[in-house]
Amino acid sequence: MSILADRRQSTLLVAAVVLLSATLIAASRIGSGEAEIRPAAAVPDSSFAGIPQSGAALGDPKAPVTLVE
């Protein structure tokens, strides 16, 4: 085989792998119900109702213990 034929075959192989990967990812997202991804902040969570919030920080900023995650 010539160098040009080898390069063309390699290019086609890479294109096929990329297309297959994209198809599998799309099928996985559609099948799992995650076709639309929303940021976590957009989903209301009632378990933190009544806890003061300042930006991303929850709770009293003068508390004796601080947990950073």
Side-chain angles (χ1 to χ4, degrees):
M1 292 185 113
S2 69
I3 294 174
L4 182 59
D6 286 342
R7 183 173 288 167
R8 183 176 294 156
Q9 187 177 12
S10 296
T11 303
L12 287 174
L13 180 62
V14 169
V17 168
V18 169
L19 182 62
L20 178 64
S21 298
T23 303
L24 290 175
I25 290 170
S28 174
R29 290 185 63 187
I30 290 170
S32 67
E34 295 181 21
E36 180 183 336
I37 297 178
R38 294 179 290 163
V43 179
D45 190 355
S46 62
S47 62
F48 297 117
I51 299 175
Q53 179 176 1
S54 175
L58 291 174
D60 184 4
K62 297 179 183 175
V65 177
T66 303
L67 175 64
V68 179
E69 183 177 343

